Amino acid sequence: MAWDFSTDPEFQEQLDWVEQFCRNEIEPLDLVFPGAAYSRDPRARALADPLKQQVKARGLWALFLDEELGGPGFGQLKLALLNEILGRYGSAPVIFGTAAPDTGNMELLAVYGTEEQKRRWLYPLMNQEIFSAYSMTEPQGGSDPNLFKTHAVRDGEEWVINGEKWFTSAARLADILLVMCTNGMFVVPRETPGVEILDTCSGPRTGPRCWRSAGWAGDGSTTPCAPSRR
């Protein structure tokens, strides 16, 4: 029995459009105005937002999400073919609404978030009104959860988090941090009192990739309580 590895003509047309769009629109933007797709500057957004609108008009926004969550629901095979193209261009994931770590964080909020959390964080993330980061790694144990020390304690209607995280990619650009603690995942707005962003962790190349929240005890970072879903 032979396997057919051909792509159906309708989807191949989409792939061809994505390839041409990335080459003719996104690559020049990256060369002349690097970082414009991520920028909050209105002048930069005036360049990037029209490209995002073209992607949305083609039904290609938020490629990784199922239809009920606002994406096209392509499935893993078609998503792989699209990412093969997008991965060649620095700003393409942002222009197509598929940039990490927002993708994984959106999936977490979509599956486990309360309606209030979705309204406050998921939908703005989908529309790129805000950006997020994922805080997992710790200095004493890397990414091994068995060695984590960051812990959350409930205090009335809030959780108080004490701990230290390293190598949180894009933390300085993020509006919210999804923080892995020893007793669960918590959404922490970056401007929460007690959260301290460091320029460096160790060495000259790690600066933009870490945030530290040391000495939170007493006046630690707090995040509102929400019902848990199991």
Side-chain angles (χ1 to χ4, degrees):
M1 177 180 176
W3 285 13
D4 183 5
F5 289 98
S6 62
T7 303
D8 66 81
E10 183 178 351
F11 189 69
Q12 184 61 53
E13 182 182 348
Q14 288 277 47
L15 292 174
D16 293 341
W17 183 88
V18 171
E19 178 70 60
Q20 185 177 20
F21 179 77
C22 288
R23 186 186 308 113
N24 295 340
E25 302 290 346
I26 296 179
E27 187 173 27
L29 180 67
D30 282 342
L31 290 172
V32 181
F33 299 104
Y38 298 86
S39 177
R40 301 174 192 270
D41 189 315
R43 294 169 297 179
R45 298 200 65 161
L47 299 172
D49 286 354
L51 301 184
K52 298 176 184 180
Q53 290 302 321
Q54 290 187 56
V55 169
K56 292 178 180 180
R58 294 283 303 196
L60 294 170
W61 182 256
L63 297 168
F64 63 100
L65 289 176
D66 292 334
E67 290 184 70
E68 61 267 24
L69 298 177
F74 281 142
Q76 294 302 311
L77 178 57
K78 290 182 176 179
L79 186 60
L81 294 172
L82 285 162
N83 281 331
E84 185 180 17
I85 300 171
L86 300 184
R88 303 176 194 143
Y89 304 90
S91 295
V94 180
I95 298 295
F96 281 76
T98 62
D102 290 339
T103 48
N105 292 340
M106 280 189 269
E107 289 174 330
L108 285 172
L109 288 166
V111 176
Y112 299 107
T114 65
E115 289 305 315
E116 169 62 18
Q117 290 169 333
K118 292 177 183 178
R119 181 196 64 79
R120 185 176 177 185
W121 294 308
L122 173 60
Y123 304 131
L125 275 173
M126 290 177 63
N127 294 325
Q128 290 188 355
E129 297 167 10
I130 64 174
F131 293 96
S132 67
Y134 188 80
S135 291
M136 179 176 180
T137 305
E138 296 192 4
Q140 78 288 339
S143 297
D144 184 352
N146 293 314
L147 300 177
F148 285 176
K149 296 181 179 180
T150 301
H151 188 72
V153 177
R154 185 159 180 167
D155 182 13
E157 294 302 313
E158 296 180 318
W159 291 91
V160 180
I161 304 174
N162 288 277
E164 184 175 356
K165 295 289 186 180
W166 278 15
F167 305 112
T168 297
S169 298
R172 291 194 299 176
L173 302 176
D175 298 281
I176 61 172
L177 307 166
L178 271 74
V179 182
M180 180 178 287
C181 298
T182 58
N183 53 335
M185 292 290 304
F186 294 84
V187 182
V188 180
R190 188 173 64 86
E191 299 301 324
T192 301
V195 174
E196 180 188 359
I197 306 292
L198 297 183
D199 288 332
T200 60
C201 286
S202 59
R205 299 185 60 185
T206 59
R209 301 177 59 82
C210 65
W211 73 278
R212 184 183 179 192
S213 49
W216 284 4
D219 59 349
S221 174
T222 62
T223 188
C225 290
S228 61
R229 293 180 57 184
R230 297 184 184 276

